[in-house]
Amino acid sequence: YLKAHLRRKASGVPSLLAWIDSEGMNAAVRATVRVGIYTGAKVYFVHEGYQGLVDGGDHIRPATWESVSMMLQLGGTVIGSARCQDFRTKEGRTKAACNLVKLGITNLCVIGGDGSLTGANQFRNEWSELLADLIKTAEAKGSSHLHIVGMVGSIDNDFCGTDMTIGTDSALHRIIEIVDAITTTAQSHQRTFILEVMGRHCGYLALVTALACGADWVFIPEMPPDDGWEEHLCRRLTEQRGRGSRLNIIIVAEGAIDREGKAITCDDIKQLVSKKLGFDTRMTILGHVQRGGTPSAFDRILASRMGVEAVMALLEATPDTPACVVSLSGNMAVRLPLMECVQVTKDVTTAMSEGRFDEAVKLRGKSFENNWNTYKMLAHVHIPETKSNFNIAVLNVGAPCAGMNAAVRSTVRIGLLQGHHMLAVHEGFDGLAHGMIEPIGWSGVAGWTGKGGSLLGTKRSLPHEFMEEISQSITKFNIHAIVIIGGFEAFIGGLEMVQAREKYEELCIPLVVVPATVSNNVPGSDFSIGADTALNTITAVKCSKNTKPTHTCDRIKQSAAGTKRRVFIVETMGGYCGYLATMAALASGADAAYIYEEHFNIHDLELNVEHLVEKMKTTVKRGLILRNEKCNANYTTDFIFNLYTEEGKGVFDCRKNVLGHMQQGGTPSPFDRNFATKIGLKSVLWLTDKLKECYRHGRVFADSPDSACVLGMTKRSLVFQPLEELKDQTDFEHRIPKIQWWLKLRPILKIMAKYEINLDTTEKAAMEHVITKRGVVP
């Protein structure tokens, strides 16, 4: 019924445009094409952007299911992109309208920046007028409405209204890879490195890079440094060297300016540092390398989600619906009026040109503002002389994962800046029980942001094994609050400590659990530190000079496409949680992903095999099946491999890969570094407030449920939720939350693999508005 309803609504024909290239665009193209075809629409490619729309002919060609195969791992855009002067003229737009009318196209999906989207909106507003002109020349026989939906593809993340644009995360991957490489040589030679990243009008790349690598200084156009910044910069670099740092890193956005609007260049900074401090200084301008390469897992998933939402927006559009842009708010897809977003984006430029820099930062949105505030706090390296006399302990619990160290660094440094004494606990609850605790200072966590694993050491032991010893350690080391960074064991351990408060008064102190696990199975949070890095490990090609490339999903697909028809069965980690298997499948274009949360039987396996066999009889040359490690005790990876091998005889052959613990290792991704830094900072600020609330008569006493919380990303914001309240939301036997947001993405995975299923559209993304600092809707 739902599919028939969607087909009746698909009266127009979605088409596709591209303008500025960015990694992840192809994933958006693929999702739009396949979901469009699924709903019964006829979908067209428009090659070479608006130029192809104006020129028509072979530039506008039907898209098929197979024409978007093997696109996910490609950077740029396979349908081309070009700047078009013709489309800026009324004559050019009339030609474009004529080409659309001839093919009966009444829906446009435009992927590009604010210029491309503004042009699309102008085209829509003129549509009736353009049709009237065509009718006069007998080139059109009737009138119609043109529906527009936009997706923002820009590595600069310079479009207001969305937390992240398609391509930004991939660009950050390129930047961080280079920063990490430079860091190694800089430490060897005690150098100062100045790196220029893209961002002519927006400092997002520079700002997040600075957070992700712990840079000493960042220059961004939205917030120029105060007058006299030269002295301040030199003083900070000198202080860092005085603390034992062997390198300095300065990040510069290409559009960086001072308070007078004068450009601040890498060369200016190099001359200043070299002459005034005598430091060995090097500068690197990254340039267009930031645009290239393979799109990250985040960008592939984001673009796929946006593509699905874009088609839904077109199908639901009415003549009165304004042109909208599909955006990301926290972890939610939202629709915003296109021109409101464009206007706020222009307001940022105006605010900067008029010197209203604080307003410019606010207009960029909450995500940008939070990043800026986080950087400012951590860059303020003057530890207060007045101490709070509170001791805060930090420990890692559970399996190690990338990003743990970044969270510890942020926690320690913001604690010191709050005037607290910070204590490092080694080896998890084991170390807390046996006194493996020592003070840790500012320099003690230097360089931790980009390091994988857990430098504190971590174990799976739970506190109930030695609660008496833990209570004694809390008394001995005078611990007033605890930050527990880890996975499901951290959640259970925190809960056990809360439940033991009745017996052990020493445990009546505030504590916060920071989710950090590749499994992403901690209740109270949509995301866990480390899961993004694991997804990229599964999805992307990882190889070095001296080792063979690992069989991650991209490499598997390339291998299969380069030889005969082949199907790979890949086992991922995650315990009973199918997050990694599902999201990696979505990011890599897998044909199926078997998980515990979605029960399957031999009949389902039979249908999957038959489906893949039929696909392999066409032009398709590769197949990819992902299996979560504990999805089913009987249908093991070997069983599934043997089943596909037997049933695929004469059509395809099979290979098997168990990825194992490589998913827990590696250098943390930019997302995990940034997320860990912000969540660590927020946890200590919350503890600081709780300590002040609970301090009575010379001691800390906290026994209320809201004094022990999980800090997690929930929908649109970071939220503290009491551990006691999360008990009812938890399946303790299988170590997963009872409700998991990502399960709603499972139908998208099946649609992309060409299964006949129903798509649940009960939760629609309503049109929202962009509220500016002035508190009015533009």
Side-chain angles (χ1 to χ4, degrees):
Y1 167 79
L2 176 61
K3 189 168 180 182
H5 171 69
L6 288 172
R7 279 181 167 153
R8 283 196 298 270
K9 293 211 67 172
S11 55
V13 184
S15 182
L16 209 50
L17 290 168
W19 188 262
I20 301 171
D21 69 305
S22 60
E23 300 99 324
M25 270 191 174
N26 289 322
V29 170
R30 174 179 176 269
T32 306
V33 168
R34 290 193 169 176
V35 175
I37 293 173
Y38 162 82
T39 60
K42 190 173 183 181
V43 186
Y44 285 84
F45 284 140
V46 179
H47 292 266
E48 308 307 332
Y50 286 133
Q51 191 64 57
L53 199 62
V54 172
D55 294 341
D58 288 340
H59 288 92
I60 306 177
R61 300 200 293 269
T64 64
W65 199 276
E66 289 76 17
S67 64
V68 291
S69 293
M70 297 297 289
M71 286 176 60
L72 274 171
Q73 72 273 24
L74 302 178
T77 166
V78 298
I79 60 174
S81 173
R83 299 191 181 277
C84 178
Q85 292 299 325
D86 293 337
F87 196 75
R88 297 176 184 270
T89 67
K90 181 75 174 291
E91 182 184 358
R93 293 191 292 275
T94 302
K95 289 181 180 179
C98 181
N99 290 325
L100 294 183
V101 168
K102 287 177 180 177
L103 294 169
I105 296 173
T106 56
N107 294 299
L108 284 180
C109 178
V110 183
I111 312 171
D114 59 342
S116 306
L117 298 178
T118 301
N121 189 70
Q122 181 183 6
F123 190 43
R124 178 184 184 272
N125 291 337
E126 290 180 346
W127 184 252
S128 297
E129 183 182 343
L130 296 174
L131 281 185
D133 291 342
L134 291 173
I135 290 171
K136 291 176 184 177
T137 60
E139 292 189 68
K141 295 181 179 179
S143 179
S144 180
H145 295 279
L146 179 68
H147 301 304
I148 296 284
V149 65
M151 287 180 276
V152 191
S154 168
I155 68 165
D156 294 335
N157 202 31
D158 56 354
F159 192 82
C160 293
T162 184
D163 289 349
M164 205 74 150
T165 57
I166 298 169
T168 302
D169 187 70
S170 299
L172 285 169
H173 274 260
R174 303 294 89 73
I175 295 168
I176 293 302
E177 286 171 8
I178 296 168
V179 170
D180 286 346
I182 284 174
T183 298
T184 305
T185 182
Q187 284 180 326
S188 301
H189 297 279
Q190 283 193 293
R191 283 178 174 157
T192 296
F193 264 92
I194 305 163
L195 286 92
E196 180 185 287
V197 301
M198 283 185 166
R200 195 178 308 154
H201 304 295
C202 179
Y204 184 88
L205 289 179
L207 181 54
V208 175
T209 298
L211 280 172
C213 71
D216 299 290
W217 197 285
V218 62
F219 292 92
I220 61 173
E222 291 88 349
M223 187 56 71
D226 294 328
D227 294 338
W229 61 269
E230 295 89 347
E231 292 292 331
H232 188 183
L233 171 61
C234 290
R235 185 168 62 252
R236 181 177 296 178
L237 298 181
T238 302
E239 288 173 351
Q240 286 294 83
R241 290 291 176 95
R243 290 188 175 92
S245 175
R246 293 182 58 83
L247 79 155
N248 301 115
I249 295 180
I250 300 168
I251 307 296
V252 186
E254 62 177 326
I257 55 174
D258 62 18
R259 291 273 162 172
E260 303 302 318
K262 180 185 174 183
I264 297 176
T265 68
C266 288
D267 194 56
D268 294 335
I269 301 167
K270 180 182 177 182
Q271 295 299 323
L272 170 69
V273 175
S274 298
K275 290 182 179 179
K276 189 141 189 174
L277 301 179
F279 289 176
D280 186 5
T281 306
R282 299 286 188 275
M283 66 178 190
T284 302
I285 298 174
L286 301 187
H288 280 71
V289 68
Q290 296 158 84
R291 287 193 185 277
T294 302
S296 67
F298 181 96
D299 268 332
R300 300 185 197 194
I301 295 166
L302 171 66
S304 297
R305 292 177 66 185
M306 297 299 100
V308 173
E309 190 60 42
V311 174
M312 293 299 107
L314 286 173
L315 293 178
E316 295 163 16
T318 68
D320 298 325
T321 304
C324 77
V325 60
V326 179
S327 302
L328 182 71
S329 178
N331 188 33
M332 295 182 66
V334 298
R335 301 175 194 172
L336 300 171
L338 191 156
M339 290 316 294
E340 286 186 15
C341 297
V342 170
Q343 184 57 52
V344 177
T345 303
K346 290 179 179 177
D347 288 345
V348 175
T349 304
T350 302
M352 287 192 292
S353 65
E354 295 176 356
R356 294 181 282 113
F357 299 111
D358 287 330
E359 184 174 348
V361 170
K362 289 184 179 297
L363 287 168
R364 280 285 181 218
K366 284 187 177 180
S367 177
F368 189 96
E369 187 178 9
N370 288 340
N371 284 326
W372 175 245
N373 290 334
T374 301
Y375 178 78
K376 280 197 304 181
M377 293 188 76
L378 291 174
H380 182 78
V381 295
H382 297 292
I383 300 172
E385 295 181 5
T386 304
K387 301 297 182 182
S388 69
N389 293 322
F390 290 130
N391 299 323
I392 298 180
V394 56
L395 64 154
N396 293 155
V397 176
C401 67
M404 272 185 165
N405 296 319
V408 172
R409 171 186 176 273
S410 172
T411 299
V412 168
R413 289 197 168 179
I414 196 62
L416 294 172
L417 293 173
Q418 294 292 302
H420 308 317
H421 299 279
M422 300 303 295
L423 300 173
V425 181
H426 298 276
E427 307 302 332
F429 287 119
D430 244 327
L432 184 60
H434 299 115
M436 300 169 67
I437 305 168
E438 62 180 0
I440 188 165
W442 190 273
S443 300
V445 290
W448 281 30
T449 309
K451 293 183 178 178
S454 168
L455 293 174
L456 287 182
T458 180
K459 286 190 174 181
R460 295 180 182 270
S461 307
L462 294 173
H464 73 266
E465 302 174 32
F466 20 61
M467 200 67 78
E468 181 76 34
E469 292 87 345
I470 287 176
S471 65
Q472 291 173 2
S473 286
I474 289 174
T475 301
K476 178 181 178 181
F477 290 92
N478 198 22
I479 296 172
H480 300 107
I482 299 178
V483 180
I484 307 171
I485 302 169
F488 201 82
E489 289 88 356
F491 171 74
I492 296 177
L495 195 55
E496 288 181 358
M497 292 181 71
V498 170
Q499 292 168 341
R501 282 175 171 178
E502 291 183 4
K503 184 176 180 180
Y504 300 98
E505 192 175 290
E506 297 86 352
L507 301 180
C508 293
I509 57 175
L511 67 88
V512 60
V513 174
V514 173
T517 168
V518 300
S519 300
N520 197 34
N521 62 336
V522 178
S525 187
D526 291 350
F527 296 112
S528 294
I529 296 165
D532 183 73
T533 304
L535 276 177
N536 280 287
T537 301
I538 297 168
T539 305
V541 178
K542 301 287 184 186
C543 57
S544 65
K545 286 184 179 179
N546 301 319
T547 61
K548 294 181 180 180
T550 57
H551 287 291
T552 49
C553 294
D554 280 354
R555 175 64 70 179
I556 285 167
K557 289 166 69 177
Q558 290 170 5
S559 170
T563 58
K564 57 186 177 182
R565 287 175 173 80
R566 181 168 291 166
V567 173
F568 279 84
I569 315 297
V570 179
E571 179 183 295
T572 67
M573 293 181 75
Y576 286 100
C577 181
Y579 176 83
L580 284 182
T582 296
M583 302 304 269
L586 192 58
S588 58
D591 296 279
Y594 300 116
I595 63 171
Y596 166 77
E597 293 91 341
E598 192 172 281
H599 177 74
F600 62 96
N601 54 34
I602 193 64
H603 177 65
D604 298 312
L605 289 170
E606 183 182 13
L607 289 176
N608 293 154
V609 172
E610 290 174 354
H611 181 79
L612 194 53
V613 167
E614 291 305 310
K615 281 180 69 175
M616 284 291 192
K617 290 177 181 177
T618 65
T619 58
V620 176
K621 292 185 178 181
R622 62 105 186 112
L624 181 61
I625 307 296
L626 273 71
R627 178 189 177 275
N628 170 238
E629 60 181 345
K630 291 188 177 181
C631 65
N632 190 291
N634 296 311
Y635 299 136
T636 63
T637 302
D638 285 337
F639 177 92
I640 293 173
F641 168 72
N642 291 333
L643 176 66
Y644 276 81
T645 300
E646 180 63 30
E647 298 301 319
K649 281 183 178 178
V651 181
F652 57 79
D653 63 4
C654 286
R655 295 291 186 274
K656 176 181 64 176
N657 294 85
V658 178
L659 301 183
H661 285 76
M662 62 177 287
Q663 296 158 83
Q664 291 178 336
T667 302
S669 68
F671 179 94
D672 277 332
R673 298 186 198 197
N674 189 21
F675 184 51
T677 299
K678 287 193 286 191
I679 204 169
L681 179 144
K682 196 173 180 70
S683 67
V684 175
L685 294 181
W686 180 82
L687 283 177
T688 300
D689 290 338
K690 284 294 175 186
L691 286 167
K692 292 175 182 177
E693 286 177 21
C694 301
Y695 187 73
R696 297 286 186 277
H697 310 296
R699 59 169 293 193
V700 173
F701 185 82
D703 63 349
S704 61
D706 67 352
S707 64
C709 291
V710 170
L711 172 56
M713 167 64 77
T714 304
K715 292 185 177 179
R716 298 195 182 192
S717 56
L718 290 172
V719 179
F720 291 91
Q721 298 180 70
L723 286 159
E724 284 282 357
E725 291 182 8
L726 291 171
K727 278 199 306 182
D728 294 336
Q729 302 174 29
T730 306
D731 176 352
F732 285 95
E733 180 184 354
H734 299 103
R735 298 161 55 89
I736 54 175
K738 290 180 180 177
I739 299 175
Q740 301 184 86
W741 67 272
W742 52 267
L743 286 170
K744 293 179 181 177
L745 301 181
R746 295 274 301 174
I748 299 175
L749 170 62
K750 293 181 179 180
I751 289 171
M752 298 297 174
K754 212 173 183 179
Y755 281 91
E756 293 287 331
I757 66 155
N758 287 332
L759 178 62
D760 181 8
T761 59
T762 54
E763 287 192 17
K764 296 179 181 178
M767 185 79 80
E768 300 182 8
H769 293 280
V770 184
I771 307 299
T772 69
K773 177 176 176 286
R774 294 181 291 278
V776 298
V777 178

